[in-house]
Amino acid sequence: MQRTRRTTPYPFTWEIPVGIVLAVLLALVLGLQTGRSLANLVAGNGWVFVDRMALFTTLAPLLSGQASAGLAVPRPASTGLLWTCVGLVELVIVALIGWAVKLGLDRWGPARMHGMATAAEAETLLGRTRLRRHAKVIRPDLYGAPRGSRR
């Protein structure tokens, strides 16, 4: 019912979806590197994050299981520890991305509520006394005539 009121929807262009996809990919790459750093921390090497110049060049060795790619660590984390930490960090990142998508769709998506004022906006525009005086018109489901009575 809400969609029928929209007569001129905003035309989507390619920039917004491309920006969103690039942000998600960057978050996943940073999650991969953070998971590797967490694995090396658990292995006793301290917190060591890859240099930003090697952020993307170390992805291939990292995906093949080398926890020390691009880092100077004496005892790199084992492959099992590496994939466990990477999996946990990526799971958190995917959950955060899903939460952000839900918030975005609730705010700007096609199923959002159109034309509904918040309680603060209604108080500012109408005032409490006017709201109470016209409660039967504003919320007939709560303050209208009792059920079963005739109007």
Side-chain angles (χ1 to χ4, degrees):
M1 181 166 180
Q2 292 288 335
R3 291 183 194 173
T4 59
R5 293 186 203 173
R6 290 180 66 178
T7 56
T8 56
Y10 179 79
F12 289 110
T13 60
W14 62 272
E15 294 96 346
I16 295 172
V18 167
I20 291 171
V21 167
L22 288 177
V24 167
L25 289 176
L26 180 63
L28 293 175
V29 167
L30 289 175
L32 192 66
Q33 298 287 1
T34 303
R36 186 252 304 260
S37 296
L38 182 64
N40 281 323
L41 176 70
V42 172
N45 294 317
W47 181 262
V48 182
F49 199 76
V50 69
D51 185 42
R52 71 176 177 199
M53 298 303 285
L55 187 66
F56 295 104
T57 58
T58 58
L59 283 180
L62 180 58
L63 290 174
S64 67
Q66 297 178 15
S68 63
L71 299 176
V73 291
R75 298 175 317 274
S78 68
T79 306
L81 179 62
L82 172 70
W83 290 119
T84 302
C85 291
V86 165
L88 289 174
V89 170
E90 291 293 337
L91 185 66
V92 168
I93 288 175
V94 168
L96 288 174
I97 290 171
W99 177 70
V101 166
K102 185 198 179 315
L103 285 179
L105 287 176
D106 287 348
R107 175 73 170 109
W108 297 292
R112 71 184 186 271
M113 292 297 290
H114 297 281
M116 297 297 291
T118 64
E121 291 170 338
E123 171 63 31
T124 302
L125 292 174
L126 299 175
R128 182 168 287 171
T129 56
R130 183 166 183 220
L131 284 174
R132 295 205 190 281
R133 191 171 60 234
H134 295 91
K136 290 181 181 180
V137 174
I138 296 170
R139 290 295 305 263
D141 56 329
L142 294 178
Y143 304 106
R147 294 187 190 272
S149 65
R150 300 182 69 125
R151 292 186 178 182

Short mmCIF file of all heavy atoms in Angstrom, two decimals, residues 27-96:
data_model
loop_
_atom_site.label_atom_id
_atom_site.label_comp_id
_atom_site.label_asym_id
_atom_site.label_seq_id
_atom_site.Cartn_x
_atom_site.Cartn_y
_atom_site.Cartn_z
N ALA A 27 35.94 -4.29 3.64
CA ALA A 27 35.71 -4.80 4.99
C ALA A 27 36.10 -6.27 5.09
O ALA A 27 36.68 -6.70 6.10
CB ALA A 27 34.25 -4.61 5.39
N LEU A 28 35.79 -7.05 4.07
CA LEU A 28 36.15 -8.47 4.09
C LEU A 28 37.66 -8.67 4.01
O LEU A 28 38.22 -9.55 4.69
CB LEU A 28 35.44 -9.22 2.96
CG LEU A 28 33.93 -9.32 3.10
CD1 LEU A 28 33.33 -9.96 1.87
CD2 LEU A 28 33.54 -10.07 4.35
N VAL A 29 38.35 -7.87 3.21
CA VAL A 29 39.82 -7.96 3.12
C VAL A 29 40.44 -7.55 4.46
O VAL A 29 41.35 -8.22 4.97
CB VAL A 29 40.35 -7.08 1.97
CG1 VAL A 29 41.85 -6.90 2.07
CG2 VAL A 29 39.98 -7.70 0.64
N LEU A 30 39.95 -6.47 5.04
CA LEU A 30 40.48 -6.06 6.34
C LEU A 30 40.18 -7.11 7.41
O LEU A 30 40.99 -7.32 8.32
CB LEU A 30 39.91 -4.70 6.74
CG LEU A 30 40.42 -3.51 5.94
CD1 LEU A 30 39.69 -2.24 6.33
CD2 LEU A 30 41.91 -3.34 6.12
N GLY A 31 39.04 -7.77 7.30
CA GLY A 31 38.72 -8.85 8.24
C GLY A 31 39.66 -10.03 8.09
O GLY A 31 40.04 -10.65 9.08
N LEU A 32 40.04 -10.34 6.86
CA LEU A 32 40.99 -11.42 6.62
C LEU A 32 42.34 -11.08 7.25
O LEU A 32 42.95 -11.92 7.94
CB LEU A 32 41.14 -11.62 5.11
CG LEU A 32 41.85 -12.86 4.63
CD1 LEU A 32 41.06 -14.09 5.00
CD2 LEU A 32 42.05 -12.80 3.14
N GLN A 33 42.80 -9.87 7.04
CA GLN A 33 44.08 -9.45 7.62
C GLN A 33 44.00 -9.37 9.15
O GLN A 33 44.96 -9.72 9.85
CB GLN A 33 44.51 -8.11 7.03
CG GLN A 33 44.74 -8.11 5.55
CD GLN A 33 46.02 -8.83 5.13
OE1 GLN A 33 46.76 -9.36 5.93
NE2 GLN A 33 46.27 -8.83 3.84
N THR A 34 42.87 -8.92 9.67
CA THR A 34 42.70 -8.84 11.13
C THR A 34 42.67 -10.23 11.74
O THR A 34 43.23 -10.46 12.82
CB THR A 34 41.42 -8.06 11.47
OG1 THR A 34 41.49 -6.78 10.87
CG2 THR A 34 41.25 -7.90 12.97
N GLY A 35 42.01 -11.17 11.07
CA GLY A 35 42.00 -12.55 11.56
C GLY A 35 43.39 -13.14 11.59
O GLY A 35 43.76 -13.87 12.51
N ARG A 36 44.20 -12.85 10.57
CA ARG A 36 45.59 -13.31 10.57
C ARG A 36 46.38 -12.69 11.71
O ARG A 36 47.14 -13.36 12.39
CB ARG A 36 46.22 -12.96 9.22
CG ARG A 36 47.62 -13.52 9.03
CD ARG A 36 48.71 -12.48 9.10
NE ARG A 36 48.57 -11.40 8.19
CZ ARG A 36 49.23 -11.31 7.04
NH1 ARG A 36 50.03 -12.26 6.66
NH2 ARG A 36 49.08 -10.25 6.30
N SER A 37 46.18 -11.40 11.96
CA SER A 37 46.88 -10.75 13.06
C SER A 37 46.44 -11.32 14.40
O SER A 37 47.26 -11.49 15.31
CB SER A 37 46.63 -9.24 13.03
OG SER A 37 47.19 -8.69 11.86
N LEU A 38 45.16 -11.64 14.53
CA LEU A 38 44.66 -12.25 15.75
C LEU A 38 45.26 -13.64 15.94
O LEU A 38 45.63 -14.02 17.06
CB LEU A 38 43.13 -12.32 15.71
CG LEU A 38 42.44 -12.89 16.93
CD1 LEU A 38 42.67 -12.00 18.14
CD2 LEU A 38 40.95 -13.04 16.67
N ALA A 39 45.39 -14.41 14.87
CA ALA A 39 46.00 -15.74 14.96
C ALA A 39 47.46 -15.64 15.38
O ALA A 39 47.93 -16.43 16.22
CB ALA A 39 45.89 -16.46 13.62
N ASN A 40 48.18 -14.67 14.85
CA ASN A 40 49.57 -14.49 15.26
C ASN A 40 49.68 -14.01 16.69
O ASN A 40 50.62 -14.35 17.40
CB ASN A 40 50.28 -13.54 14.31
CG ASN A 40 50.68 -14.22 13.02
OD1 ASN A 40 51.07 -15.37 13.01
ND2 ASN A 40 50.55 -13.50 11.91
N LEU A 41 48.70 -13.22 17.14
CA LEU A 41 48.68 -12.79 18.54
C LEU A 41 48.48 -13.98 19.46
O LEU A 41 49.18 -14.12 20.48
CB LEU A 41 47.58 -11.75 18.75
CG LEU A 41 47.36 -11.26 20.18
CD1 LEU A 41 48.54 -10.41 20.62
CD2 LEU A 41 46.07 -10.48 20.28
N VAL A 42 47.54 -14.85 19.11
CA VAL A 42 47.28 -16.03 19.93
C VAL A 42 48.48 -16.97 19.91
O VAL A 42 48.78 -17.64 20.91
CB VAL A 42 46.00 -16.74 19.44
CG1 VAL A 42 45.79 -18.07 20.13
CG2 VAL A 42 44.79 -15.84 19.67
N ALA A 43 49.22 -17.02 18.80
CA ALA A 43 50.40 -17.88 18.69
C ALA A 43 51.59 -17.33 19.46
O ALA A 43 52.62 -17.99 19.56
CB ALA A 43 50.76 -18.07 17.23
N GLY A 44 51.48 -16.12 20.02
CA GLY A 44 52.56 -15.56 20.84
C GLY A 44 53.46 -14.60 20.12
O GLY A 44 54.55 -14.29 20.61
N ASN A 45 53.05 -14.09 18.98
CA ASN A 45 53.89 -13.15 18.23
C ASN A 45 53.55 -11.69 18.50
O ASN A 45 54.18 -10.81 17.93
CB ASN A 45 53.75 -13.41 16.73
CG ASN A 45 54.30 -14.76 16.35
OD1 ASN A 45 55.36 -15.14 16.82
ND2 ASN A 45 53.58 -15.49 15.53
N GLY A 46 52.58 -11.42 19.31
CA GLY A 46 52.15 -10.04 19.53
C GLY A 46 51.26 -9.58 18.40
O GLY A 46 51.09 -10.25 17.38
N TRP A 47 50.67 -8.42 18.58
CA TRP A 47 49.77 -7.89 17.56
C TRP A 47 50.60 -7.26 16.46
O TRP A 47 51.25 -6.22 16.64
CB TRP A 47 48.83 -6.86 18.16
CG TRP A 47 47.88 -6.31 17.14
CD1 TRP A 47 48.01 -5.15 16.45
CD2 TRP A 47 46.69 -6.92 16.66
NE1 TRP A 47 46.96 -4.99 15.58
CE2 TRP A 47 46.13 -6.07 15.69
CE3 TRP A 47 46.03 -8.11 16.95
CZ2 TRP A 47 44.95 -6.36 15.02
CZ3 TRP A 47 44.86 -8.39 16.29
CH2 TRP A 47 44.33 -7.53 15.33
N VAL A 48 50.60 -7.86 15.27
CA VAL A 48 51.34 -7.36 14.12
C VAL A 48 50.36 -7.29 12.96
O VAL A 48 49.81 -8.31 12.54
CB VAL A 48 52.52 -8.30 13.76
CG1 VAL A 48 53.29 -7.73 12.59
CG2 VAL A 48 53.41 -8.50 14.96
N PHE A 49 50.13 -6.09 12.45
CA PHE A 49 49.23 -5.92 11.30
C PHE A 49 50.08 -5.61 10.08
O PHE A 49 51.10 -4.96 10.16
CB PHE A 49 48.23 -4.79 11.56
CG PHE A 49 47.03 -4.84 10.68
CD1 PHE A 49 46.02 -5.76 10.92
CD2 PHE A 49 46.90 -3.99 9.60
CE1 PHE A 49 44.91 -5.82 10.10
CE2 PHE A 49 45.79 -4.04 8.79
CZ PHE A 49 44.78 -4.97 9.04
N VAL A 50 49.61 -6.08 8.94
CA VAL A 50 50.35 -5.91 7.70
C VAL A 50 50.43 -4.42 7.33
O VAL A 50 49.52 -3.64 7.63
CB VAL A 50 49.69 -6.75 6.58
CG1 VAL A 50 48.35 -6.18 6.21
CG2 VAL A 50 50.60 -6.83 5.37
N ASP A 51 51.52 -4.05 6.66
CA ASP A 51 51.68 -2.69 6.18
C ASP A 51 50.62 -2.41 5.10
O ASP A 51 50.25 -3.30 4.34
CB ASP A 51 53.08 -2.52 5.60
CG ASP A 51 53.37 -1.09 5.18
OD1 ASP A 51 52.98 -0.17 5.93
OD2 ASP A 51 53.95 -0.90 4.09
N ARG A 52 50.15 -1.19 5.04
CA ARG A 52 49.07 -0.89 4.10
C ARG A 52 49.50 -1.05 2.64
O ARG A 52 48.67 -1.28 1.78
CB ARG A 52 48.51 0.50 4.34
CG ARG A 52 49.43 1.59 3.96
CD ARG A 52 48.78 2.94 4.13
NE ARG A 52 49.77 3.95 3.80
CZ ARG A 52 49.71 5.17 4.15
NH1 ARG A 52 48.70 5.59 4.87
NH2 ARG A 52 50.63 6.02 3.81
N MET A 53 50.77 -0.94 2.36
CA MET A 53 51.24 -1.16 0.98
C MET A 53 51.15 -2.63 0.60
O MET A 53 51.05 -2.96 -0.58
CB MET A 53 52.68 -0.65 0.83
CG MET A 53 52.81 0.85 1.07
SD MET A 53 51.76 1.83 0.01
CE MET A 53 52.67 1.71 -1.49
N ALA A 54 51.20 -3.52 1.58
CA ALA A 54 51.14 -4.96 1.30
C ALA A 54 49.77 -5.54 1.64
O ALA A 54 49.62 -6.75 1.73
CB ALA A 54 52.22 -5.67 2.10
N LEU A 55 48.78 -4.69 1.81
CA LEU A 55 47.45 -5.15 2.22
C LEU A 55 46.84 -6.11 1.20
O LEU A 55 46.28 -7.14 1.56
CB LEU A 55 46.53 -3.94 2.43
CG LEU A 55 45.16 -4.21 3.02
CD1 LEU A 55 45.29 -4.72 4.44
CD2 LEU A 55 44.32 -2.95 3.01
N PHE A 56 46.96 -5.79 -0.07
CA PHE A 56 46.37 -6.63 -1.11
C PHE A 56 47.36 -7.64 -1.70
O PHE A 56 46.95 -8.69 -2.16
CB PHE A 56 45.79 -5.76 -2.23
CG PHE A 56 44.63 -4.92 -1.76
CD1 PHE A 56 44.78 -3.56 -1.51
CD2 PHE A 56 43.40 -5.50 -1.54
CE1 PHE A 56 43.72 -2.81 -1.07
CE2 PHE A 56 42.33 -4.74 -1.10
CZ PHE A 56 42.49 -3.39 -0.86
N THR A 57 48.65 -7.33 -1.67
CA THR A 57 49.64 -8.25 -2.25
C THR A 57 49.84 -9.49 -1.37
O THR A 57 50.33 -10.50 -1.87
CB THR A 57 50.99 -7.55 -2.47
OG1 THR A 57 51.46 -7.03 -1.23
CG2 THR A 57 50.85 -6.44 -3.49
N THR A 58 49.49 -9.42 -0.11
CA THR A 58 49.64 -10.59 0.77
C THR A 58 48.39 -11.44 0.83
O THR A 58 48.35 -12.42 1.58
CB THR A 58 50.01 -10.14 2.20
OG1 THR A 58 48.99 -9.27 2.68
CG2 THR A 58 51.34 -9.44 2.23
N LEU A 59 47.37 -11.11 0.05
CA LEU A 59 46.13 -11.89 0.09
C LEU A 59 46.32 -13.31 -0.45
O LEU A 59 45.81 -14.27 0.12
CB LEU A 59 45.03 -11.18 -0.69
CG LEU A 59 44.37 -10.01 0.01
CD1 LEU A 59 43.30 -9.41 -0.88
CD2 LEU A 59 43.80 -10.42 1.33
N ALA A 60 47.02 -13.46 -1.58
CA ALA A 60 47.18 -14.79 -2.17
C ALA A 60 47.94 -15.74 -1.23
O ALA A 60 47.47 -16.86 -0.98
CB ALA A 60 47.87 -14.68 -3.52
N PRO A 61 49.09 -15.33 -0.67
CA PRO A 61 49.76 -16.24 0.28
C PRO A 61 48.92 -16.49 1.54
O PRO A 61 48.92 -17.60 2.08
CB PRO A 61 51.06 -15.53 0.63
CG PRO A 61 51.27 -14.51 -0.40
CD PRO A 61 49.93 -14.17 -0.95
N LEU A 62 48.20 -15.47 1.96
CA LEU A 62 47.37 -15.63 3.15
C LEU A 62 46.24 -16.62 2.90
O LEU A 62 45.94 -17.47 3.74
CB LEU A 62 46.81 -14.27 3.57
CG LEU A 62 45.91 -14.23 4.79
CD1 LEU A 62 46.64 -14.77 6.01
CD2 LEU A 62 45.45 -12.82 5.05
N LEU A 63 45.62 -16.56 1.72
CA LEU A 63 44.55 -17.49 1.39
C LEU A 63 45.07 -18.91 1.19
O LEU A 63 44.31 -19.87 1.28
CB LEU A 63 43.80 -17.02 0.15
CG LEU A 63 42.94 -15.77 0.35
CD1 LEU A 63 42.37 -15.29 -0.97
CD2 LEU A 63 41.83 -16.05 1.34
N SER A 64 46.37 -19.05 0.94
CA SER A 64 46.94 -20.39 0.83
C SER A 64 47.39 -20.93 2.18
O SER A 64 47.89 -22.05 2.25
CB SER A 64 48.10 -20.40 -0.17
OG SER A 64 49.18 -19.64 0.35
N GLY A 65 47.22 -20.14 3.24
CA GLY A 65 47.50 -20.64 4.58
C GLY A 65 48.79 -20.15 5.21
O GLY A 65 49.18 -20.65 6.27
N GLN A 66 49.47 -19.20 4.61
CA GLN A 66 50.72 -18.68 5.18
C GLN A 66 50.41 -17.53 6.11
O GLN A 66 50.10 -16.42 5.68
CB GLN A 66 51.65 -18.21 4.07
CG GLN A 66 52.10 -19.30 3.13
CD GLN A 66 52.96 -18.74 2.03
OE1 GLN A 66 53.45 -17.62 2.11
NE2 GLN A 66 53.15 -19.53 0.98
N ALA A 67 50.52 -17.77 7.40
CA ALA A 67 50.19 -16.74 8.38
C ALA A 67 51.25 -15.67 8.50
O ALA A 67 51.01 -14.61 9.07
CB ALA A 67 49.97 -17.39 9.75
N SER A 68 52.43 -15.92 7.95
CA SER A 68 53.52 -14.93 8.09
C SER A 68 53.73 -14.12 6.82
O SER A 68 54.72 -13.38 6.74
CB SER A 68 54.82 -15.66 8.44
OG SER A 68 55.18 -16.52 7.38
N ALA A 69 52.86 -14.21 5.84
CA ALA A 69 53.04 -13.49 4.58
C ALA A 69 53.04 -11.99 4.81
O ALA A 69 52.06 -11.43 5.30
CB ALA A 69 51.95 -13.88 3.59
N GLY A 70 54.14 -11.34 4.47
CA GLY A 70 54.24 -9.90 4.62
C GLY A 70 54.55 -9.43 6.02
O GLY A 70 54.61 -8.24 6.27
N LEU A 71 54.75 -10.35 6.94
CA LEU A 71 55.04 -9.99 8.33
C LEU A 71 56.37 -10.60 8.74
O LEU A 71 56.76 -11.66 8.26
CB LEU A 71 53.94 -10.51 9.27
CG LEU A 71 52.53 -10.00 9.04
CD1 LEU A 71 51.58 -10.70 9.99
CD2 LEU A 71 52.46 -8.51 9.22
N ALA A 72 57.03 -9.95 9.68
CA ALA A 72 58.27 -10.49 10.24
C ALA A 72 57.94 -11.08 11.61
O ALA A 72 58.07 -10.42 12.64
CB ALA A 72 59.32 -9.40 10.36
N VAL A 73 57.47 -12.32 11.61
CA VAL A 73 57.13 -12.99 12.87
C VAL A 73 58.01 -14.22 13.02
O VAL A 73 58.23 -14.95 12.05
CB VAL A 73 55.63 -13.38 12.92
CG1 VAL A 73 54.77 -12.14 13.01
CG2 VAL A 73 55.23 -14.21 11.74
N PRO A 74 58.54 -14.48 14.22
CA PRO A 74 59.44 -15.62 14.40
C PRO A 74 58.72 -16.97 14.30
O PRO A 74 59.23 -17.91 13.71
CB PRO A 74 60.04 -15.41 15.78
CG PRO A 74 59.11 -14.49 16.48
CD PRO A 74 58.43 -13.67 15.42
N ARG A 75 57.54 -17.08 14.93
CA ARG A 75 56.79 -18.34 14.92
C ARG A 75 55.38 -18.07 14.41
O ARG A 75 54.49 -17.73 15.19
CB ARG A 75 56.70 -18.90 16.35
CG ARG A 75 58.03 -19.25 16.98
CD ARG A 75 57.87 -19.69 18.43
NE ARG A 75 56.95 -18.89 19.23
CZ ARG A 75 57.26 -17.78 19.88
NH1 ARG A 75 58.47 -17.31 19.81
NH2 ARG A 75 56.37 -17.14 20.59
N PRO A 76 55.14 -18.21 13.11
CA PRO A 76 53.81 -17.91 12.58
C PRO A 76 52.77 -18.89 13.12
O PRO A 76 53.09 -20.00 13.54
CB PRO A 76 53.97 -18.05 11.08
CG PRO A 76 55.20 -18.85 10.87
CD PRO A 76 56.06 -18.64 12.07
N ALA A 77 51.55 -18.45 13.12
CA ALA A 77 50.44 -19.27 13.62
C ALA A 77 50.24 -20.48 12.71
O ALA A 77 50.53 -20.44 11.52
CB ALA A 77 49.17 -18.44 13.68
N SER A 78 49.71 -21.54 13.29
CA SER A 78 49.42 -22.74 12.50
C SER A 78 48.25 -22.48 11.56
O SER A 78 47.47 -21.53 11.73
CB SER A 78 49.10 -23.91 13.43
OG SER A 78 47.87 -23.67 14.09
N THR A 79 48.11 -23.33 10.56
CA THR A 79 47.05 -23.15 9.58
C THR A 79 45.67 -23.28 10.22
O THR A 79 44.76 -22.52 9.90
CB THR A 79 47.20 -24.19 8.44
OG1 THR A 79 48.52 -24.08 7.91
CG2 THR A 79 46.20 -23.94 7.35
N GLY A 80 45.52 -24.23 11.15
CA GLY A 80 44.23 -24.40 11.82
C GLY A 80 43.85 -23.18 12.64
O GLY A 80 42.70 -22.72 12.62
N LEU A 81 44.83 -22.65 13.39
CA LEU A 81 44.57 -21.45 14.19
C LEU A 81 44.28 -20.25 13.28
O LEU A 81 43.40 -19.43 13.58
CB LEU A 81 45.77 -21.15 15.09
CG LEU A 81 45.67 -19.92 15.98
CD1 LEU A 81 44.51 -20.05 16.95
CD2 LEU A 81 46.98 -19.70 16.71
N LEU A 82 45.00 -20.17 12.17
CA LEU A 82 44.79 -19.08 11.22
C LEU A 82 43.35 -19.10 10.71
O LEU A 82 42.66 -18.08 10.75
CB LEU A 82 45.77 -19.20 10.05
CG LEU A 82 45.53 -18.24 8.89
CD1 LEU A 82 45.86 -16.81 9.31
CD2 LEU A 82 46.35 -18.64 7.69
N TRP A 83 42.87 -20.25 10.23
CA TRP A 83 41.53 -20.31 9.67
C TRP A 83 40.46 -20.16 10.73
O TRP A 83 39.38 -19.62 10.45
CB TRP A 83 41.35 -21.59 8.87
CG TRP A 83 42.15 -21.58 7.62
CD1 TRP A 83 43.13 -22.45 7.28
CD2 TRP A 83 42.09 -20.61 6.57
NE1 TRP A 83 43.68 -22.09 6.07
CE2 TRP A 83 43.05 -20.97 5.61
CE3 TRP A 83 41.33 -19.47 6.34
CZ2 TRP A 83 43.27 -20.24 4.44
CZ3 TRP A 83 41.54 -18.75 5.19
CH2 TRP A 83 42.49 -19.13 4.26
N THR A 84 40.72 -20.58 11.95
CA THR A 84 39.74 -20.38 13.03
C THR A 84 39.58 -18.90 13.33
O THR A 84 38.45 -18.39 13.42
CB THR A 84 40.18 -21.14 14.29
OG1 THR A 84 40.31 -22.52 13.98
CG2 THR A 84 39.19 -20.95 15.41
N CYS A 85 40.70 -18.20 13.48
CA CYS A 85 40.63 -16.76 13.79
C CYS A 85 40.04 -15.97 12.62
O CYS A 85 39.23 -15.06 12.82
CB CYS A 85 42.01 -16.24 14.16
SG CYS A 85 42.61 -16.86 15.74
N VAL A 86 40.45 -16.31 11.41
CA VAL A 86 39.90 -15.62 10.23
C VAL A 86 38.41 -15.86 10.14
O VAL A 86 37.62 -14.93 9.87
CB VAL A 86 40.64 -16.06 8.95
CG1 VAL A 86 39.88 -15.65 7.71
CG2 VAL A 86 42.03 -15.49 8.92
N GLY A 87 37.98 -17.10 10.38
CA GLY A 87 36.55 -17.41 10.33
C GLY A 87 35.75 -16.64 11.35
O GLY A 87 34.66 -16.13 11.05
N LEU A 88 36.28 -16.53 12.57
CA LEU A 88 35.56 -15.77 13.62
C LEU A 88 35.46 -14.29 13.28
O LEU A 88 34.39 -13.69 13.43
CB LEU A 88 36.26 -15.96 14.97
CG LEU A 88 36.13 -17.34 15.61
CD1 LEU A 88 36.98 -17.43 16.86
CD2 LEU A 88 34.68 -17.64 15.92
N VAL A 89 36.55 -13.71 12.83
CA VAL A 89 36.54 -12.29 12.48
C VAL A 89 35.61 -12.03 11.29
O VAL A 89 34.82 -11.07 11.31
CB VAL A 89 37.97 -11.78 12.20
CG1 VAL A 89 37.95 -10.38 11.62
CG2 VAL A 89 38.80 -11.81 13.47
N GLU A 90 35.67 -12.88 10.28
CA GLU A 90 34.80 -12.70 9.11
C GLU A 90 33.32 -12.89 9.49
O GLU A 90 32.46 -12.22 8.95
CB GLU A 90 35.18 -13.67 8.00
CG GLU A 90 36.52 -13.36 7.35
CD GLU A 90 36.54 -12.07 6.56
OE1 GLU A 90 35.48 -11.61 6.12
OE2 GLU A 90 37.64 -11.53 6.37
N LEU A 91 33.04 -13.80 10.41
CA LEU A 91 31.67 -13.99 10.88
C LEU A 91 31.14 -12.73 11.54
O LEU A 91 30.00 -12.32 11.30
CB LEU A 91 31.60 -15.18 11.83
CG LEU A 91 30.22 -15.59 12.31
CD1 LEU A 91 29.41 -16.12 11.14
CD2 LEU A 91 30.34 -16.64 13.40
N VAL A 92 31.97 -12.09 12.36
CA VAL A 92 31.56 -10.84 13.00
C VAL A 92 31.34 -9.76 11.95
O VAL A 92 30.36 -9.00 12.02
CB VAL A 92 32.62 -10.41 14.05
CG1 VAL A 92 32.39 -8.99 14.52
CG2 VAL A 92 32.62 -11.36 15.22
N ILE A 93 32.22 -9.68 10.97
CA ILE A 93 32.09 -8.65 9.93
C ILE A 93 30.83 -8.88 9.10
O ILE A 93 30.09 -7.93 8.80
CB ILE A 93 33.35 -8.61 9.05
CG1 ILE A 93 34.48 -8.00 9.86
CG2 ILE A 93 33.12 -7.82 7.78
CD1 ILE A 93 35.81 -8.00 9.18
N VAL A 94 30.55 -10.13 8.74
CA VAL A 94 29.34 -10.41 7.97
C VAL A 94 28.09 -10.08 8.78
O VAL A 94 27.11 -9.56 8.24
CB VAL A 94 29.35 -11.88 7.48
CG1 VAL A 94 28.01 -12.30 6.94
CG2 VAL A 94 30.43 -12.06 6.42
N ALA A 95 28.12 -10.37 10.08
CA ALA A 95 26.98 -10.01 10.94
C ALA A 95 26.79 -8.50 10.99
O ALA A 95 25.66 -8.00 10.93
CB ALA A 95 27.17 -10.58 12.34
N LEU A 96 27.87 -7.74 11.10
CA LEU A 96 27.79 -6.28 11.12
C LEU A 96 27.28 -5.73 9.78
O LEU A 96 26.50 -4.78 9.75
CB LEU A 96 29.14 -5.66 11.47
CG LEU A 96 29.57 -5.81 12.92
CD1 LEU A 96 31.00 -5.30 13.10
CD2 LEU A 96 28.62 -5.10 13.85
#
